[in-house]
Structure formats: structure tokens, C-alpha cells
């Protein structure tokens, strides 16, 4: 478990004090990790990067904003990036499970070569209240060569708010198949 940390910011969470690389990196066949209730902002690369590791849960984090979720403290690249990371859960249906993923230097959530994952109940590209844009520079959610993922849904709390981003809200490319995208608020 990685929880209740401020990674890449000062102790108040108002200014960037960047790590040169990413904020949190899970890699090399690590499994069953839980990343919860962190502020991960201001880092030089991705806020959270999951590579070649299964069954990671990422819930209730602020990634790319200040501690109040009102202004950008961008990570240099993606807010969350996965590569060969099956069964990753980003957010959840409980009201406290969703992440705020906004203000990052590239994509909010980048899913690459990652099947069977779920993106549920997150605010992507907005402030914590969902009332104003705090854009990720590129796409809100980018699904690339990844299949059988669930983005949103009709169950209460599962819908993502994907708005205010610098490019496409939800972008699906390159042999991505059987993804379910439903019930989200986009734009």
C-alpha cells in the first residue's frame, strides 16, 4: 500500500518540489498494489506509472493538481500510465474511490497494452468540484492496443467526468477491441 503521501509537492501541497522522474512507479511483475489518498503532482514524468504488473488499484488520489484540487501542479507527462498492466482499477463506484486526474503535461489516463482494467468514478480534466476546467494537455483518456476494458457504466458512482482537456475526451486506437465505454459525462 502507498497511501496518504505528498509526492512531488511541498508539505502543504501548494507548490511543486519535483522528483526528476515520476511520482510512483510500479514495475517488474509487482502484483496486488494499492495506491490510495495521495497527492502526486509536479513530478518530471508520469504521476503514477504501472508497467508489467497486474492487479493494481489506484483510488482517491489527486494527480496533477494542488492539494485542494483547484489549480494545476502538472506532472510532466501522463497523470496515470499503464503498460502491460492487466486488471488495473482506476477509481471505483464508492463516492470516495474516484481520483482527480487533471492538469498533467500530456494525457490524463494512458492505457497501453493493458487488458481487463476499469476506469470508474474519476474526474479527469476538471477541478475537484467538477465545476471548472483544469485541463490535461492532451487526451483525457487514451486507450491504445488495449482490449476488454470498462470505462464508466450505469451503476451509481461508476460514471467518469471527462471534460476540459486539451484534445479528445476519450480516444480509442490501434487494435483496441471489446472495450465498454458507457454512462460517462464527456465535455
Amino acid at each position: 500500500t502507498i497511501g496518504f503521501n505528498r509526492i512531488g509537492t511541498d508539505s502543504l501541497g501548494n507548490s511543486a518540489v519535483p522528483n526528476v522522474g515520476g511520482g510512483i512507479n510500479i514495475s517488474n511483475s509487482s502484483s496486488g498494489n494499492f495506491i490510495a489518498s495521495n497527492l502526486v503532482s509536479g513530478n518530471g514524468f508520469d504521476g503514477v506509472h504501472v508497467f508489467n504488473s497486474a492487479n493494481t488499484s489506484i483510488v482517491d488520489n489527486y494527480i496533477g493538481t494542488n492539494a485542494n484540487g483547484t489549480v494545476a501542479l502538472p506532472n510532466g507527462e501522463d497523470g496515470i500510465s499503464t503498460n502491460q498492466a492487466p486488471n488495473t482499477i482506476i477509481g471505483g463506484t464508492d463516492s470516495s474511490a474516484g481520483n482527480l486526474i487533471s492538469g498533467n503535461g500530456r494525457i490524463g489516463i494512458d492505457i497501453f497494452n493493458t487488458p481487463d482494467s476499469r476506469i470508474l468514478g474519476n474526474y479527469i480534466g476538471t477541478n475537484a468540484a467538477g465545476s471548472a476546467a483544469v485541463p490535461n494537455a492532451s487526451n483525457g483518456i487514451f486507450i491504445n492496443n488495449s482490449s476488454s476494458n470498462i470505462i464508466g457504466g450505469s451503476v451509481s458512482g461508476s460514471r467518469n467526468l471527462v471534460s476540459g482537456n486539451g484534445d479528445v475526451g476519450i480516444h480509442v486506437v490501434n487494435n483496441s477491441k471489446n472495450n465498454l465505454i458507457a454512462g460517462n459525462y464527456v465535455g
Side-chain angles (χ1 to χ4, degrees), residues 19 23 26 28 37 45 52 65 81 95 100 110 123 126 149 158 187:
N19 294 293
I26 305 293
N28 299 326
S37 303
F45 196 61
N52 192 28
T65 71
S81 176
S95 62
L100 175 64
D110 185 7
Y123 283 17
T126 72
N149 295 289
S158 64

Side-chain angles (χ1 to χ4, degrees), residues 120-133:
L120 307 168
N122 301 288
Y123 283 17
I124 304 163
T126 72
N127 63 9
S131 61

Side-chain angles (χ1 to χ4, degrees), residues 138-185:
S138 184
N139 301 297
I141 300 173
F142 188 62
I143 308 293
N144 186 353
N145 196 38
S146 299
S147 298
S148 302
N149 295 289
I150 298 172
I151 298 95
S154 59
V155 175
S156 178
S158 64
R159 294 179 168 117
N160 298 288
L161 173 60
V162 187
S163 295
N165 296 289
D167 202 348
V168 177
I170 301 173
H171 195 173
V172 182
V173 300
N174 297 335
N175 203 34
S176 295
K177 299 177 182 177
N178 302 314
N179 292 291
L180 173 64
I181 302 170
N184 301 288
Y185 299 106

Side-chain angles (χ1 to χ4, degrees), residues 9-166:
T9 74
D10 65 359
S11 61
L12 297 175
N14 292 325
S15 301
V17 183
N19 294 293
V20 174
I24 298 172
N25 189 18
I26 305 293
S27 62
N28 299 326
S29 299
S30 299
S31 181
N33 294 288
F34 186 65
I35 301 168
S37 303
N38 299 287
L39 173 64
V40 187
S41 299
N43 297 289
F45 196 61
D46 296 331
V48 178
H49 184 81
V50 184
F51 172 70
N52 192 28
S53 298
N55 305 312
T56 297
S57 294
I58 304 168
V59 300
D60 189 35
N61 300 282
Y62 280 21
I63 302 171
T65 71
N66 67 347
N68 292 325
T70 54
V71 298
L73 285 182
N75 294 294
E77 294 288 327
D78 301 331
I80 298 173
S81 176
T82 69
N83 184 346
Q84 300 174 42
N87 300 310
T88 298
I89 299 170
I90 301 171
T93 58
D94 184 76
S95 62
S96 64
N99 300 284
L100 175 64
I101 306 158
S102 299
N104 295 288
R106 205 170 78 106
I107 297 167
I109 301 174
D110 185 7
I111 304 294
F112 179 67
N113 284 337
T114 297
D116 303 314
S117 294
R118 287 162 282 177
I119 301 172
L120 307 168
N122 301 288
Y123 283 17
I124 304 163
T126 72
N127 63 9
S131 61
V134 180
N136 295 293
S138 184
N139 301 297
I141 300 173
F142 188 62
I143 308 293
N144 186 353
N145 196 38
S146 299
S147 298
S148 302
N149 295 289
I150 298 172
I151 298 95
S154 59
V155 175
S156 178
S158 64
R159 294 179 168 117
N160 298 288
L161 173 60
V162 187
S163 295
N165 296 289

